[in-house]
Amino acid sequence: MIKINKLAPPQIIIDNQEQWTKGLNEAITLYGAYDKIPPEEKKSLLVHYRHDDIKQALFASSFNKCAFCECKPGESGNIEVEHFAPKSIYPDLTFDWDNLLPSCRKCNEAKSDFDTITEPIVDPSKTDPERLFTYNYLRICPINNCPQEQAAKNTIDVCNLNSSRLYDVRAKLIKSLTEYTDELKEKLDSIAEADTPRKQKIRITKLRNSLEKIDQLLEDSSVYTGYCRWFMSQCCEYMQAKRLILENEQIDV
Ligand SMILES: [Zn+2]
């Protein structure tokens, strides 16, 4: 998980939030409860939160990634508008931009109507998850004594972030990131062995190219950025390569 910087609310939600919420609340009053609204009527009252303008702005905020597991469900057609506080318990927040997050179907279904107000989980649009979570091989876990440790634990349980689906993904990432690390090590060794300044310069350029390839995986727009950043933060070859490039940039200046 990484921080999501939500775009400004789309005009359609600013213009209609009050009216849409009023319609939903009137139906709740009429039928006695949210769950008692007839399915077809409920569907037509709720359809607005999936308006194209809302989806576009929301999904763009996370580069089309799930806010919780960081998969890119757009590729399999399953990105959804998720209500952080469930609309069945907090209907007033159904069309509240602050309460909407992009989610994959797996995380959305796992979270279901869990009450995040009485038992908080981490909202990645409000808190930076990288200050709260770390990893232990394939597992995501809360950082010991971090500010919202219980909320971090709840998030992992509620969104099922230690599932076999995500273990598979992380196992594949370990393999490819380890191969990138091997490449860095090879290039660092060859720089150390360079016997002329010219050879050294050429080899440093090659190292820079390898680093750029890795750094692309650590950008917010890439999939599973949180995991890749954690992995590389533990990798001494990556740190060493970064330092070497930085030192050479300073020399070039
Ligand atoms: Zn997800």
Side-chain angles (χ1 to χ4, degrees):
M1 269 171 104
I2 59 165
K3 179 84 166 58
I4 287 181
N5 297 309
K6 270 167 87 173
L7 303 175
Q11 197 59 38
I12 188 92
I13 215 166
I14 296 171
D15 292 344
N16 295 287
Q17 181 182 353
E18 204 180 312
Q19 191 202 331
W20 292 340
T21 311
K22 190 167 163 254
L24 181 60
N25 278 326
E26 280 170 0
I28 292 170
T29 308
L30 180 66
Y31 295 103
Y34 177 92
D35 292 339
K36 289 183 182 156
I37 305 173
E40 280 307 310
E41 195 172 337
K42 194 192 276 179
K43 208 170 147 189
S44 69
L45 288 165
L46 293 178
V47 72
H48 312 297
Y49 78 75
R50 290 194 296 266
H51 188 281
D52 276 349
D53 290 1
I54 297 174
K55 288 204 280 194
Q56 267 175 23
L58 195 63
F59 302 163
S61 304
S62 71
F63 303 94
N64 296 307
K65 289 195 289 184
C66 171
F68 299 103
C69 74
E70 281 204 83
C71 75
K72 233 176 211 181
E75 289 162 2
S76 54
N78 284 334
I79 192 156
E80 297 179 345
V81 178
E82 202 272 326
H83 291 85
F84 184 73
K87 57 189 180 308
S88 57
I89 308 176
Y90 304 98
D92 282 346
L93 301 178
T94 303
F95 308 105
D96 184 336
W97 178 245
D98 273 355
N99 192 42
L100 305 181
L101 284 173
S103 171
C104 73
R105 181 156 295 173
K106 297 269 183 207
C107 290
N108 201 359
E109 279 177 358
K111 193 172 155 286
S112 182
D113 54 359
F114 183 85
D115 190 340
T116 53
I117 303 290
T118 55
E119 281 187 82
I121 69 168
V122 175
D123 179 343
S125 70
K126 307 219 165 71
T127 309
D128 180 1
E130 289 183 274
R131 289 173 42 233
L132 308 178
F133 294 98
T134 184
Y135 296 86
N136 184 356
Y137 297 100
L138 300 181
R139 283 200 191 97
I140 186 168
C141 40
I143 293 174
N144 278 337
N145 301 316
C146 68
Q148 298 177 35
E149 197 173 355
Q150 189 56 49
K153 274 185 196 156
N154 291 345
T155 313
I156 294 167
D157 292 344
V158 169
C159 299
N160 201 15
L161 297 182
N162 281 328
S163 61
S164 119
R165 166 181 74 102
L166 293 169
Y167 284 169
D168 284 346
V169 165
R170 291 172 197 149
K172 279 190 194 137
L173 284 171
I174 288 182
K175 180 179 177 285
S176 56
L177 294 172
T178 301
E179 283 167 359
Y180 282 130
T181 305
D182 290 345
E183 196 179 306
L184 287 183
K185 189 175 179 328
E186 226 172 76
K187 301 222 157 110
L188 284 165
D189 288 347
S190 79
I191 292 167
E193 287 159 11
D195 50 10
T196 66
R198 191 173 168 274
K199 273 189 199 166
Q200 196 187 43
K201 206 168 176 184
I202 292 169
R203 290 174 191 185
I204 287 174
T205 303
K206 285 184 179 166
L207 177 73
R208 187 181 287 119
N209 293 341
S210 297
L211 261 186
E212 278 170 8
K213 214 161 51 180
I214 294 173
D215 283 340
Q216 275 176 8
L217 301 173
L218 312 186
E219 285 173 5
D220 286 359
S221 55
S222 296
V223 282
Y224 310 109
T225 314
Y227 190 74
C228 294
R229 282 187 191 152
W230 165 79
F231 185 95
M232 281 302 158
S233 73
Q234 311 292 306
C235 169
C236 53
E237 286 86 359
Y238 177 73
M239 294 301 173
Q240 199 186 334
K242 277 273 179 200
R243 265 197 311 273
L244 199 137
I245 296 295
L246 190 70
E247 280 162 16
N248 274 274
E249 273 165 9
Q250 282 163 354
I251 291 167
D252 287 349
V253 171

